[in-house]
Amino acid sequence: MTITTSPAALAGATPAGAVALDRYPPLARPDLTYTHEVAEATAPIYEKLKHIIPAIEWPALAPTIHAINVLKKERNAVILAHNYMTPDIYHGVADIVGDSLQLAIEATRTDADVIVQCGVHFMAETSKILSPDKTVLIPDMKAGCSLAESITGADVRALRERNPGIPIITYVNTSADVKAECDICCTSSNALQVVESFGVDRVFLIPDKYLAANVGNKTDVEVLVWDGACEVHERFTAQELRDYRKIEPNVQIIAHPECPPEVVAEADFAGSTAHMIDWVKTNKPEKVMMITECSMADNVASETPGVDYIRPCNLCPHMKRITLSKILDSLLYMKEEVVVDPVIAEKARVAVQRMIDLKK
Ligand code: 13P
Ligand code: SF4
């Protein structure tokens, strides 16, 4: 399928948030019919999705998946998708999937002109901070995060004024404004390493009070908190996990460290989304329960045959704003562009780059 520029089809169509059209002329909407060509081109993708998408639904999804895969080549775009994307995105159109840290690192490595960030806004901002010369698009600008919304740059400045000399580490789930005010960034993959990297007795780890408490439980460093929480992970309870164990005594429970500490204490393992996936692939438990966002188990199930997933989960309404049809529109109309003030981006880049360099 070749998708070509069609000025007639585009008259008056410059959606809000679109990149300047002289740089990237918008393209005509492709024909989304389920043809033989589409069926053949998408057959290997369906193989990975058949455990989760009924065959009867495939003809409705495949043409959009195919069109996105054609268009991303025409735009020289790379699709970076977080592990919480739905399986049609994760297995169907993503070039790179991963946790927040992996996606941040990939943003520094790609040669593509355009990054389409399938995740939430702070992830797209992080990509823009690390790749200021690239065009970074997010399919829905409203894809936010309760953690990122819990704190502002002004809050961090006030915190520093009241606590001079104490390093301030920001979880990656924050705005560029907040990152610009902090000493270093971290993700759930490397939070403990970052906390201990300062070699001091006390640090702030903001804004997730549960991640901070979970890290604090693993180190002698006193980890000071901000009162933020992930609206998805804070809803899990330790009692719920104990009840599941009564019903399924052989189940292995793995949890994300954005869950409250008493939930993490009930789990057999806790780690970032990538570490949770690795844990299942390495340990191949007979039955596993992922205490995190719903799409995780759906995505990893096709890569771990023989593992039975028991699926208590909470949906992230922000992640779920990203859909195939919005990704298609992103590529057609080059929207919505993520822009970060260059002065703020420069300061935020120092915090993010320090974290990446620490990993090396
Ligand atoms: P990680 O993928 O880094 O574990 O983060 C989870 C999360 O909630 C991102 O919003
Ligand atoms: Fe934010 Fe939680 Fe959604 Fe991740 S899962 S984007 S931390 S609200």
Side-chain angles (χ1 to χ4, degrees), residues 35 91 96 98 114 120 134 146 162 169-170 174 193 204 227-228 234 249 257 264 281 284 304 310 331 339:
T35 59
H91 290 294
I96 312 274
V114 178
V120 290
K134 293 192 192 302
S146 64
R162 289 197 305 272
I169 303 165
T170 177
T174 49
Q193 186 194 5
F204 273 102
D227 191 18
E234 72 172 345
V264 168
K281 287 183 178 168
K284 300 184 181 66
T304 51
I310 297 154
L331 287 163
V339 182

Side-chain angles (χ1 to χ4, degrees), residues 82-84 98-103 120 122-123 144-145 147 171-173 186-189 208 230 232-233 256-258 271-276 292-293 296 316 319:
H82 187 260
N83 291 326
Y84 292 163
D99 67 3
S100 308
L101 180 60
Q102 290 167 323
L103 297 182
V120 290
F122 74 80
M123 295 178 176
C145 169
L147 280 169
Y171 193 28
V172 70
N173 299 38
C186 78
T187 72
S188 51
S189 276
D208 186 346
C230 161
V232 175
H233 291 94
H256 195 278
E258 288 171 9
S272 76
T273 56
H275 289 168
M276 291 169 90
T292 189
E293 213 275 342
M296 278 276 289
C316 173
M319 291 279 183

Side-chain angles (χ1 to χ4, degrees), residues 115 117 124-125 127-128 131 134-138 336-338:
I115 294 174
Q117 193 87 30
E125 255 192 358
S127 290
K128 184 66 187 176
S131 298
K134 293 192 192 302
T135 298
V136 177
L137 305 175
I138 186 162
E336 302 187 35
E337 186 175 15
V338 175

Side-chain angles (χ1 to χ4, degrees), residues 240-251:
E240 189 182 346
L241 266 58
R242 286 192 287 273
D243 291 344
Y244 288 130
R245 276 201 206 276
K246 274 188 211 143
I247 306 165
E248 293 282 357
N250 297 330
V251 74

